Amino acid sequence: HQCGIAVCLCPLDDCEFSGQHPHPGKQPDPIPNLHNSRAVGSPGRAITRDESQWHRVEQFVRYVMKTWGQDPRVILMDLYNEPGNPWIFTTQGTALVPDVLQYENSALKLMEHVFQWAREEKPKQPLTVSAWHSKL
């Protein structure tokens, strides 16, 4: 903030460039000269599909909003990057998640909940989503 730099937080992302499931702890080192070579989706395909695990996403979203929702350095909360993006990009090539339509529907439903949880924490920043839609 003192240097005139502001950030946009993006807690959730359906872009998966590593083909790996998200996990806590040290992440793999990036592959030199390969864009997003180790990017892992958040919360991950399995959790997006499993509503019984969404309480974990809710805890995370509320934590982010409570921690940074009034921070003047954060100018925007992009809650979910490309929800429903079914592509998996790896060094071996690209693939689609199984049952694309079901996955897209799960991601849309989760996104709606994420907005509700975030709004309930009353952040001062605008809330957005970076949309995704494919015509497969």
Side-chain angles (χ1 to χ4, degrees):
H1 196 284
Q2 293 173 342
C3 296
I5 298 173
V7 297
C8 166
L9 293 184
C10 184
L12 302 178
D13 189 351
D14 269 355
C15 290
E16 290 200 11
F17 290 90
S18 68
Q20 297 180 1
H21 297 288
H23 61 86
K26 183 174 180 341
Q27 302 298 303
D29 291 330
I31 298 170
N33 303 312
L34 185 59
H35 174 68
N36 283 339
S37 62
R38 300 295 186 173
V40 177
S42 170
R45 313 275 189 205
I47 291 175
T48 299
R49 290 181 186 272
D50 184 359
E51 289 186 44
S52 72
Q53 296 191 59
W54 287 5
H55 67 280
R56 297 169 62 196
V57 180
E58 178 181 2
Q59 289 173 335
F60 175 64
V61 168
R62 289 185 186 277
Y63 172 80
V64 169
M65 296 302 116
K66 287 176 184 173
T67 304
W68 292 286
Q70 303 300 317
D71 192 319
R73 298 171 297 177
V74 179
I75 61 169
L76 181 74
M77 297 283 190
D78 189 41
L79 297 176
Y80 202 155
N81 184 52
E82 298 184 7
N85 181 340
W87 291 99
I88 301 170
F89 303 91
T90 68
T91 55
Q92 290 79 40
T94 59
L96 286 169
V97 298
D99 198 2
V100 171
L101 184 57
Q102 187 263 343
Y103 182 74
E104 288 178 342
N105 288 334
S106 294
L108 173 62
K109 189 173 180 180
L110 175 58
M111 181 195 71
E112 291 169 344
H113 281 79
V114 167
F115 268 95
Q116 176 187 340
W117 301 326
R119 285 179 179 134
E120 288 173 359
E121 298 303 327
K122 298 183 177 22
K124 72 177 190 174
Q125 301 90 348
L127 303 178
T128 66
V129 65
S130 297
W132 169 265
H133 181 43
S134 62
K135 295 184 181 191
L136 301 175

